[in-house]
């Protein structure tokens, strides 16, 4: 028998060593070839009398296995639910056969049959379907690396662990631990896994296989605990156990509170665990596959997998990179300005393995960048996430300076000085006078057109925009903005650099606000208009939470500050003159900032009060100035306004080519301003409800609240033609 994805070697004791090494993948993943090979291997172990047991390990140094190939799952097109179920159940059936050697549960329970011993030698991370394979082995021995991850992250893309995870985990570590792991998707480390009973042994990586073989040899006849007479769930389980009854009541309530009913996967995980805990494992696995199939065939899961996994990965790997541009070798980056953004950019750059020369007006200002990183590193040291030595090494890679000559050997420039065209023009000229002729110059401006700034450059084809978000070390999106004259090499360098700092990039058009800043202000304005109309601030914040927004729009306005909003209104008015279109929040912002001194979180509070050491709460004083309306709108109405205040500008950006395609619109929204991740993004959401429904809802909102809700004309045409935003295969 030849295999494509595994090696299968039987030693003189009759112990098979299966080493998984899926070709063409950096990490092992369950794909069609591996499922086929593994199923054949399991049959062989069960049927060949000369094979006494097996050890399963990974042939890759990157880890044991990272789960299922989500590209494969996203593309499953089953002709019926029955067929989809059979496809989903296939892995479960194989893993069940692995742990039973094909013996019936009844015979195993009665002790009339035994399974051949199987041990997993886990030499690196085991996630999702990887961990589920490990759990189906009788003995689990894991390398003693504290950072090694063992987890089931499927819920993060709207799925559930469908390879037995919802059944074997609770049978090993108890319902509560298992539910926490599977609903949060957060991994655990080997020591914790051993304490909980998920694995039996932790050992040095080089000893794993030998120790696993020893165990197999010493235990010729075995069975999983749940295949033995008298098995009980650790910590209690089943419909009659008061501990598990109480647990399920609390867990369901908590899950719905946290997810606002937006994530069926969370509900289904708990259902799998409840239903599965009152039936034998063979039935339980079928229950799991039933819920898994339901999720896999839902639009929501398809959208989440597509955006949060497939398109995110492709973007990060550089899907938008011009193919012919030579790879950039970026070792040292020159960062101009050591303020909030420059310091954050310095930090992520060093974290990405590069050195930084950071320049400011004087040495003291430049040293801010060191202080910024030091604060983060000190916290990490105190939490045991890094060591003092590593923190010092990190800081030694930052060279603060006020002397342009220190920039002469850098491989890339990122400019983050004041948002003032004259200041920017000056630093562009001074920098270009010293840097190498080929060096790409990127500006982190948030409002100034890149094409305009490039006029101050003697090499406009090497000039580009790179728009980071604050705080840089936490915000996952990077907007890359080619100006009119930016060349392929500039775009390639921006994407090559991005790959090192591991952000999610989108490439957008050079227009005012780029993409994200064309959508966020109308959304925040809508929330302010609601307050102005007398809608209860708590209703607004709760409506946003139930949409799935991670922070309410009023809290977000406080973060970005009302004074910034007020300043932008004034500067935009000045810049556009007669072309300025009032948004309706001008007088509101003026009252809040100028009259009431409500600037935002950092200075005296805004929509919220921020008591020292206490929890923030909505400022009750606001109703004195903006009295509450007697008739409050329904939560649905508020939700619609907040949702469409984002969908409409996002759809205009798509229609006008400001974002090039639906996938960039979706990635930018979720990773840029936290648009409800369960939707897969605005374009996915619109496709799911259908363009016709979208246009008609937008029209009805426009009729009631104004033209800001008008959908783009091209969306109306697409709706008429029955089109979708995503082409079928995207
Ligand atoms: P900041 O005021 O915190 O920092 C600006 C830094 O530039 C200061 O340290 C200042 O000393 C330095 N500087 C000013 N003139 C200089 C000169 N001639 N030579 C060298 N250094 C000089 O501002 P910030 O918030 O970090 O913003 C910087 C840039 O990033 C701006 O273009 C801004 O629009 C953009 N941006 C800001 C945010 C944000 O959330 N703050 C987000 C995205 C982009």
């Amino acid at each position: 028998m030849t295999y494509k994805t595994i090696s299968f070697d039987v030693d003189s004791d009759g112990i098979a060593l299966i080493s998984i090494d899926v070709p063409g993948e950096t990490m092992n993943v369950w794909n069609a070839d591996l499922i086929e090979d593994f199923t054949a291997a399991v049959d062989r172990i069960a049927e060949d009398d000369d094979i006494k047991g097996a050890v399963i390990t990974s042939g890759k140094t990157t880890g044991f296995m990272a789960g299922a190939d989500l590209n494969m799952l996203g593309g499953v097109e089953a002709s019926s639910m029955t067929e989809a179920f059979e496809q989903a159940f296939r892995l479960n059936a194989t893993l069940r056969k692995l742990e039973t050697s094909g013996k019936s549960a009844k015979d195993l329970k009665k002790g009339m049959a035994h399974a051949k011993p199987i041990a997993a030698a886990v030499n690196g991370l085991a996630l999702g379907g990887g961990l589920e394979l490990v759990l189906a082995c009788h003995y689990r021995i894991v390398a003693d690396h504290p950072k090694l991850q063992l987890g089931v992250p499927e819920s993060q893309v709207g799925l559930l662990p469908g390879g037995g995870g919802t059944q074997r985990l609770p049978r090993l570590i108890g319902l509560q631990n298992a539910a926490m792991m599977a609903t949060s998707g957060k991994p655990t480390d080997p020591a914790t896994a051993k304490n909980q009973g998920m694995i039996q042994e932790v050992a040095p990586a080089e000893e794993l296989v030998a120790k696993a073989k020893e165990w197999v040899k010493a235990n010729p006849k075995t069975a999983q605990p749940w295949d033995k007479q008298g098995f009980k769930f650790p910590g209690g389980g089943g419909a009659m156990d008061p501990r598990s009854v109480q647990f399920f009541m609390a867990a369901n309530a908590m899950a719905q509170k946290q997810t606002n009913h937006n994530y069926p996967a969370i509900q289904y995980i708990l259902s799998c665990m409840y239903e599965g805990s009152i039936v034998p494992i063979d039935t339980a696995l079928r229950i799991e596959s039933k819920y898994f199939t339901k999720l896999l065939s839902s639009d929501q899961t398809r959208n989440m997998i597509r955006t949060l996994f497939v398109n995110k990965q492709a973007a990060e790997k550089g899907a938008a990179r011009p193919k012919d541009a030579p790879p950039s070798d970026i070792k040292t980056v020159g960062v101009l300005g050591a303020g909030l953004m420059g310091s954050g950019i310095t930090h992520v750059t060093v974290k990405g393995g590069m050195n930084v020369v950071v320049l400011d007006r004087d040495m003291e200002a430049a040293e801010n960048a060191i202080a910024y990183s030091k604060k983060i590193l000190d916290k990490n040291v105190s939490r045991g996430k890094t060591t003092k030595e590593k923190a010092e090494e990190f800081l030694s890679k930052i060279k603060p300076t006020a002397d342009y000559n220190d920039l002469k050997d850098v491989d890339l420039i990122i400019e983050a000085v004041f948002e003032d065209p004259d200041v920017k023009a000056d630093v562009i000229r001074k920098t270009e006078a010293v840097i190498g002729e080929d060096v790409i110059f990127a500006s982190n401006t948030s409002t100034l057109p890149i094409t305009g700034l490039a006029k101050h450059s003697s090499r406009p084809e090497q000039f580009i925009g790179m728009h980071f978000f604050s705080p840089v070390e936490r915000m996952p999106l990077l907007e890359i903005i080619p100006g009119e004259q930016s060349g392929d090499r500039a775009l390639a360098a921006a994407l090559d650099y991005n790959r090192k700092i591991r952000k999610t990039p989108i490439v957008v058009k050079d227009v005012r606000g780029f993409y994200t800043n064309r959508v966020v202000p109308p959304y925040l304005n809508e929330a302010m208009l609601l307050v102005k109309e007398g809608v209860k601030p708590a209703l607004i914040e709760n409506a946003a939470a139930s949409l799935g927004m991670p922070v309410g729009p009023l809290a977000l306005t406080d973060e970005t500050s009302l004074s910034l909003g007020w300043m932008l209104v004034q500067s935009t008015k000045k810049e556009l003159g007669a072309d300025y279109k009032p948004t309706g929040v001008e007088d509101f912002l003026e009252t809040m900032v100028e009259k009431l001194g409500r600037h935002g979180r950092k200075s005296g509070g805004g929509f919220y009060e921020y008591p020292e050491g206490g929890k923030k709460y909505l400022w009750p004083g606001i109703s004195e100035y903006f009295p509450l309306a007697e008739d409050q709108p329904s939560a649905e109405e508020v939700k619609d306004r907040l949702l469409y205040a984002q969908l409409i500008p996002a759809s205009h950006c798509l229609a006008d080519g400001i974002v090039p395609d639906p996938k960039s619109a979706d990635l930018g929204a979720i990773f840029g301003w936290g648009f409800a991740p369960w939707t897969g993004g605005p374009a996915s959401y619109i496709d799911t409800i259908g363009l016709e429904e979208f246009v008609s809802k937008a029209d009805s909102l426009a009729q009631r609240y104004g033209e800001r809700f008008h959908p783009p004309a091209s969306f109306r045409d697409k709706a008429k033609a029955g089109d979708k935003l995503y082409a079928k295969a995207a």
Side-chain angles (χ1 to χ4, degrees), residues 336-342 359-361 365 368 404 415-419 423-424 426-427 444-447 467-470:
L336 310 180
L340 178 71
M341 297 306 286
L359 176 137
D360 208 298
R361 291 175 292 181
N368 275 338
Y404 278 87
E415 171 277 307
V417 298
F418 292 149
E419 188 74 341
V423 177
K424 298 223 191 252
D426 184 49
V427 301
N444 177 45
T445 174
S446 32
T447 54
H467 184 218
F468 290 81
F469 296 79
S470 171

Side-chain angles (χ1 to χ4, degrees), residues 385-405:
K385 285 186 177 167
T386 187
T387 61
K388 261 192 159 149
E389 294 69 39
K390 282 197 179 139
E392 266 161 35
E393 194 192 328
F394 189 106
L395 294 177
S396 74
K397 294 185 177 160
I398 306 173
K399 179 182 165 58
T401 187
D403 180 357
Y404 278 87
N405 286 316

Side-chain angles (χ1 to χ4, degrees), residues 98 287 451 713:
L98 179 73
I287 290 172
T451 306

